[in-house]
Amino acid sequence: MKTVFIDGSAGTTGLQIHQRLEQRPDLELLLLPEEQRKDPAARREALNRCDIAFLCLPDAAAREAVAMVENDATVVIDASTAHRTAPGWAYGLPELGQEYAAAIAASRRIAVPGCHASGFIALTAPLVAAGLLSKRELLICHSVTGYSGGGKAMIARYEAAERSPLLDAPRQYGLGQNHKHLPEMQAVTGLDTPPIFCPIVAGFYSGMAVTVPLFASQLAGTVEDVRQVYRQLYTGPIVQYTETCGEEGFLSAAALSGLDRMEISVAGSDQRILLTARYDNLGKGASGAAVECMNLALGLPAVTGLRLG
């Protein structure tokens, strides 16, 4: 039986990981009493005693936690931004190809992708790799997410009995174009320039829809070539290409709420194209992705313990 420690288990991502693991008979969860949850000595002992350590912490605290790990056998899976572009860390999006899956399976240091970044990278990285999209291309990414992506503080604001009327409408953020996901969005895709990024938080709990719009002139190929790349790469069960986009002319960002899978699709026309990715910001965008990475690191089927529908 493998032992698992979640450092930062009281946060939204940590709680979601705990929910996915607590009933698994193949795992033992190492739990710290509340009074020791932030005690460095207790955390250090747990980090070095476990087989798998999930870090659900702010960036600085995640770096500190990694420095505490002296056990060479401990696999660290970091859900923060701290190590997503760091040398020696496997990037936790195995659906991008066998080399990504193999790196996750072999690594002792795995970085879980950012929620928005997961969709953008899933849509664009395969097209860059296939030569359909130039690394020099200037892209735009539009992303709508549920408010749970903002953590406990934002959840409390949205669910308060008396809340600001400003929360009744979707709110765009990252207005300074310095969002923390931009470095990985550029690095993993290989683009020369990060996209113009337009994230929007709306008044639903969880779910996400990421869209990358393209003119056909931006492609070194056709829309059908794009679809064929996705058909061959995203065969499921966690990430799957679907020919049908949305429901009755609408694309709901909440359609996969509560699930750990992602749907990739192509909409638009032959001239104006919409690449879309739909998933749960807490599922394939965070905790579900972290558990998938753990499964691969343990030599288990990627879908073990995931919520797929």
Side-chain angles (χ1 to χ4, degrees):
M1 181 177 292
K2 298 296 184 179
T3 56
V4 176
F5 174 59
I6 305 172
D7 198 2
S9 59
T12 305
T13 300
L15 288 170
Q16 290 276 329
I17 292 174
H18 186 275
Q19 290 174 9
R20 286 163 173 77
L21 302 184
E22 61 182 344
Q23 300 300 323
R24 285 183 52 169
D26 58 325
L27 302 174
E28 176 189 0
L29 292 177
L30 301 181
L31 303 176
L32 294 180
E34 179 61 27
E35 64 273 12
Q36 294 184 354
R37 190 167 57 84
K38 296 184 179 182
D39 176 38
R43 290 173 56 224
R44 181 186 294 272
E45 193 277 333
L47 286 166
N48 285 283
R49 185 157 61 93
C50 67
D51 297 296
I52 304 286
F54 289 102
L55 307 184
C56 305
L57 303 163
D59 288 2
R63 294 186 184 97
E64 292 173 356
V66 172
M68 293 180 181
V69 179
E70 299 170 343
N71 182 352
D72 292 339
T74 297
V75 176
V76 179
I77 302 176
D78 185 8
S80 81
T81 313
H83 298 101
R84 291 174 185 162
T85 60
W89 286 73
Y91 192 73
L93 192 53
E95 289 80 12
L96 289 179
Q98 182 54 40
E99 67 273 23
Y100 283 86
I104 294 167
S107 181
R108 292 291 183 268
R109 299 291 182 267
I110 303 167
V112 180
C115 56
H116 297 286
S118 295
F120 176 78
I121 292 168
L123 292 170
T124 58
L127 304 186
V128 173
L132 290 173
L133 198 59
S134 169
K135 294 181 178 181
R136 299 186 300 275
E137 201 61 59
L138 302 177
L139 301 180
I140 296 171
C141 178
H142 176 275
S143 185
V144 179
T145 183
Y147 59 79
S148 59
K152 284 189 170 182
M154 184 174 285
I155 292 171
R157 287 196 295 272
Y158 270 90
E159 297 184 350
E162 296 183 8
R163 71 181 196 181
S164 167
L166 294 177
L167 303 187
D168 292 336
R171 297 186 297 156
Q172 187 166 331
Y173 62 104
L175 302 179
Q177 289 301 305
N178 54 4
H179 193 282
K180 64 182 182 178
H181 291 179
L182 285 171
E184 65 185 289
M185 292 165 83
Q186 179 182 2
V188 180
T189 58
L191 291 168
D192 291 345
T193 306
I196 296 175
F197 183 35
C198 305
I200 295 172
V201 61
F204 61 100
Y205 182 73
S206 72
M208 180 166 278
V210 175
T211 303
V212 177
L214 295 173
F215 286 105
S217 58
Q218 293 176 277
L219 291 171
T222 67
V223 180
E224 182 57 27
D225 292 332
V226 172
R227 291 192 174 101
Q228 190 58 27
V229 167
Y230 292 157
R231 287 188 192 109
Q232 292 179 354
L233 185 61
Y234 297 134
T235 58
I238 297 174
V239 180
Q240 186 166 24
Y241 171 72
T242 175
E243 301 286 351
T244 304
C245 179
E247 305 81 27
E248 300 179 349
F250 294 88
L251 184 74
S252 171
L256 299 186
S257 178
L259 302 179
D260 294 323
R261 60 186 180 88
M262 176 187 290
E263 289 181 355
I264 300 291
S265 57
V266 180
S269 67
D270 288 340
Q271 296 302 315
R272 295 183 301 281
I273 305 156
L274 297 175
L275 311 178
T276 69
R278 247 187 343 181
Y279 49 105
D280 187 345
N281 57 288
L282 297 180
K284 183 56 175 167
S287 303
V291 172
E292 179 185 0
C293 289
M294 180 200 71
N295 289 335
L296 293 176
L298 293 177
L300 300 172
V303 299
T304 306
L306 296 186
R307 306 164 179 174
L308 300 178

